[in-house]
Amino acid sequence: MDNVEKYIGILREEKCSCSHATLLGIARAHPENMPDTQTLKYVSGAFRGGIGKTFGEGTCGAVSGAVVALGLIYAEDEKSACDGAKYVYDGFKNHFGTLCCGKITDEFGKKRCNECCQVAGKLVQDFVNR
């Protein structure tokens, strides 16, 4: 999973949403147990903009994409999937102070979205590589 940040960066340059870029970037770095790209796009689409574009109230799509990726990586190991989700949740909240899309982007605008995707992807990478 060493290339996860590179893949996420490329996807963000291609204008992919936070949820899609994070999920697909992790999938490209860790292709085992992952469905095809189109399926991942469908799965991640509703998480964009703070889950259903709720922005000010919704959870950051990068976190949602990371948690979906963990569920796929650990499809046969629910404990590890949940432990990984908690690791991402805690690490992301520690880094940004919140998981709320609108609170993260209010101060910095959408420029902060790339950082959100990178942080979420790196947290998954760190958990998987532990």
Side-chain angles (χ1 to χ4, degrees):
M1 287 203 51
D2 296 331
N3 292 319
V4 71
E5 292 174 279
K6 177 181 99 174
Y7 292 134
I8 289 171
I10 291 167
L11 290 160
R12 288 296 297 162
E13 287 175 13
E14 294 173 0
K15 306 294 184 212
C16 287
S17 70
C18 295
S19 55
H20 183 65
T22 303
L23 176 56
L24 189 56
I26 293 166
R28 287 182 179 173
H30 194 81
E32 307 81 35
N33 298 327
M34 293 291 174
D36 62 90
T37 301
Q38 195 63 33
T39 300
L40 293 174
K41 184 175 182 177
Y42 294 146
V43 167
S44 64
F47 292 109
R48 76 181 323 144
I51 300 179
K53 296 186 178 182
T54 56
F55 299 105
E57 299 173 0
T59 300
C60 172
V63 173
S64 298
V67 171
V68 170
L70 284 163
L72 292 167
I73 291 168
Y74 294 106
E76 302 295 322
D77 183 358
E78 187 176 325
K79 181 181 181 335
S80 291
C82 287
D83 289 349
K86 177 83 165 97
Y87 183 85
V88 168
Y89 178 96
D90 289 343
F92 194 91
K93 189 170 183 181
N94 202 26
H95 185 89
F96 292 103
T98 184
L99 275 75
C100 181
C101 175
K103 290 181 181 174
I104 295 168
T105 58
D106 275 353
E107 186 178 345
F108 298 95
K110 295 222 181 239
K111 293 177 184 175
R112 194 93 189 253
C113 293
N114 291 342
E115 182 185 357
C116 291
C117 296
Q118 295 291 343
V119 168
K122 177 139 180 28
L123 287 164
V124 170
Q125 177 180 329
D126 291 349
F127 182 81
V128 170
N129 290 337
R130 71 189 179 344

